[in-house]
Amino acid sequence: MSTSEEPRVFVQISRPEGSLEDDIWTKTPEDKPKKRRRLHPAWTVAAVAFLALVGAAGFRAAPGVLMVPLQQEFGWSTTVLSAAVSINLVLFGLTAPFAAALMERFGIRAVTAVALALIGTGSALTVLVNQSWQILLTWGLLIGLGTGSMALVFAATIANTWFTRSRGLVIGILTAGSAAGQLVFLPFIAVLAQDPGWRQASLLIAAGALAVVPLVLKFLKNSPSDAGVLPYGAEEPSAAPAENAPAVGAGTPAEPRRNAAVRALLVLRSASRNRTFWALAAGFAICGATTNGLIGTHFIPSAHDHGMPETTAAGLLAVVGIFDILGTIASGWLTDRFNPRILLAVYYQFRGIGLLVLPLLLGSSVQPSMIVFVVIYGLDWVATVPPTAAICRQVFGADGSVVFGWVFAAHQLGAAAAALAAGAIRDATGHYTYAWLGAAAMCTIAAVISATIRKDAGRPQPAAVAAASVD
């Protein structure tokens, strides 16, 4: 048996005068310095992104609360105010894919700061309106462009840029930021709308959006390379032959230099050839119709029709926001572990059941059955986002964030159509019952569509822009 020992290397270390430590240490191949573990910068970015979504979400709580006070002061019809919300929702959706491309081109920080400024400006200018066309300009154009740039595609962009592990959970947490914003702002907006008035409520929304801008400019870095790190969960890339390098358009650094509008449109052209894209878009359109379009816009006016005080109805909607946070984070966790298409089908069907029974639950007071509805609907509110974003990433690869932007555009187009249609139904019939029942039927359709998405939807496809750019 060999008695030789492994060579040991003695290294002389200079110490400050007066040091009590030995001047010599023994270093072997096993004695490697241990790096102190610290919080990855991705989590700081995610935290600031969460606050930005909270600040941007103030207006999402506003239309349902402010609709009745505006009608009382100016005599505008439900249809007129619903039209303003519809314009907002259309722009909210159509801006999203271009915002995703702009974030790639100019950086997440710049686009986010401008978006928050637009929301704050639009909300502040609302206090000056006295004509119906002016509410279309503030609620519709300015806030629509701002919230569209801060849409749920923002959460997908942050997750895809900064994380390679736990993306579903991160998207769930960031998506919950919108729910948290509703939770934070809604009770205060409802109280202010009653006394001293809706103008003070609008100023609160403006302040909430503008207050986050300094944090965004200070802490929201555009990419991991700006912080000198890899995305969270990524490993150091091994050297690879040049011929194995991905082509431009498959997510290389050259791709963000493409014109943002051209990139968004080329991604749409390529994605539209894939039936999974249309299945996701159709399901998400129904998702938007049954959340932002109906419940978000018309739940409080409908409860008011049944004799329920607006502050009470606003409180119920705030409870929806509480459980939305829990449901969306849980959905992100589930998306990392289960088939996202099955999750979507279950979410949509449960939502349809809730809408089917809602007309029976509305009344002048809050009954236990209404609390059950609020809890279930809250858990399901935007639980659809993590699995939808995951399918976009799995199927469309590097273009997944922009594709999700277009899918989200369908979400908001559905919301806009539902907001306008429900307002017209209310003016024509004096109640919202047909709107709730129609939405329940649409949820069943969305469940069927989601369940029939191809089982191989998780196989990545060639990068869309690369394919489109060679035509």
Side-chain angles (χ1 to χ4, degrees):
M1 182 175 66
S2 174
T3 58
S4 61
E5 295 183 357
E6 183 176 345
R8 303 175 72 85
V9 181
F10 292 86
V11 182
Q12 184 73 28
I13 303 297
S14 297
R15 300 285 183 182
E17 186 175 352
S19 172
L20 297 179
E21 295 179 329
D22 294 335
D23 287 339
I24 297 177
W25 78 18
T26 300
K27 183 177 180 181
T28 67
E30 294 80 18
D31 294 331
K32 294 182 179 179
K34 293 183 179 180
K35 295 181 179 179
R36 291 180 60 190
R37 298 190 61 166
R38 61 186 181 87
L39 184 67
H40 194 283
W43 294 109
T44 301
V45 170
V48 175
F50 181 91
L51 293 176
L53 286 166
V54 170
F59 181 77
R60 300 265 62 82
V65 177
L66 302 185
M67 194 173 288
V68 173
L70 285 168
Q71 286 177 314
Q72 293 174 344
E73 180 169 339
F74 298 107
W76 298 334
S77 68
T78 304
T79 302
V80 167
L81 293 172
S82 297
V85 176
S86 294
I87 293 172
N88 174 280
L89 293 173
V90 168
L91 290 175
F92 190 5
L94 293 181
T95 303
F98 296 99
L102 285 170
M103 287 178 186
E104 293 180 356
R105 176 65 179 85
F106 297 105
I108 298 172
R109 177 170 50 199
V111 175
T112 304
V114 171
L116 289 167
L118 282 173
I119 296 169
T121 301
S123 298
L125 290 176
T126 301
V127 304
L128 304 177
V129 302
N130 52 34
Q131 301 292 327
S132 59
W133 67 267
Q134 294 169 341
I135 202 71
L136 301 180
L137 177 65
T138 56
W139 276 19
L141 181 62
L142 291 177
I143 299 179
L145 290 173
T147 53
S149 299
M150 285 294 299
L152 299 180
V153 68
F154 171 65
T157 301
I158 292 290
N160 291 341
T161 301
W162 280 90
F163 294 83
T164 59
R165 190 169 69 230
S166 303
R167 279 174 172 164
L169 177 62
V170 172
I171 291 176
I173 293 172
L174 293 182
T175 303
S178 294
Q182 175 178 303
L183 171 64
V184 169
F185 286 99
L186 186 55
F188 294 102
I189 292 173
V191 171
L192 289 175
Q194 297 293 318
D195 184 21
W198 63 268
R199 289 177 176 83
Q200 284 70 21
S202 295
L203 291 176
L204 174 64
I205 297 168
L210 295 175
V212 190
V213 174
L215 293 176
V216 168
L217 295 176
K218 176 69 174 177
F219 297 108
L220 190 62
K221 297 186 182 298
N222 293 321
S223 67
S225 62
D226 289 350
V229 298
L230 293 173
Y232 178 76
E235 297 180 356
E236 290 286 352
S238 58
E243 58 269 19
N244 293 334
V248 173
T252 65
E255 183 57 44
R257 308 308 298 177
R258 182 182 296 274
N259 179 277
V262 171
R263 169 162 163 71
L265 293 172
L266 288 176
V267 169
L268 174 63
R269 184 175 72 169
S270 181
S272 64
R273 299 168 183 165
N274 190 319
R275 64 180 182 179
T276 298
F277 169 78
W278 293 108
L280 293 173
F284 230 38
I286 293 173
C287 177
T290 53
T291 52
N292 301 91
L294 282 177
I295 296 293
T297 304
H298 293 287
F299 177 79
I300 294 176
S302 179
H304 184 264
D305 287 344
H306 286 79
M308 183 180 294
E310 292 174 41
T311 51
T312 302
L316 290 175
L317 211 52
V319 174
V320 169
I322 294 174
F323 285 94
D324 182 15
I325 296 172
L326 300 176
T328 308
I329 294 174
S331 178
W333 184 86
L334 291 171
T335 299
D336 287 332
R337 291 161 175 79
F338 298 101
N339 190 328
R341 68 188 183 91
I342 300 302
L343 293 177
L344 284 177
V346 172
Y347 296 157
Y348 285 130
Q349 192 56 66
F350 268 100
R351 186 179 301 177
I353 294 172
L355 287 168
L356 185 64
V357 301
L358 179 59
L360 304 176
L361 306 180
L362 288 168
S364 58
S365 60
V366 179
Q367 302 298 323
S369 55
M370 174 59 76
I371 298 297
V372 173
F373 168 84
V374 165
V375 171
I376 294 176
Y377 212 85
L379 292 172
D380 193 78
W381 182 264
V382 286
T384 55
V385 172
T388 301
I391 294 174
C392 287
R393 183 179 63 252
Q394 292 166 1
V395 177
F396 301 101
D399 297 320
S401 293
V402 180
V403 172
F404 181 71
W406 285 111
V407 172
F408 182 75
H411 181 281
Q412 295 308 106
L413 290 175
L420 185 59
I425 289 172
R426 167 63 177 79
D427 284 341
T429 65
H431 55 76
Y432 286 97
T433 301
Y434 296 132
W436 305 132
L437 298 180
M442 289 192 297
C443 284
T444 299
I445 295 173
V448 173
I449 292 173
S450 300
T452 55
I453 292 175
R454 294 198 323 270
K455 292 183 179 180
D456 61 346
R459 298 178 184 174
Q461 303 295 321
V465 174
S469 61
V470 298
D471 288 346

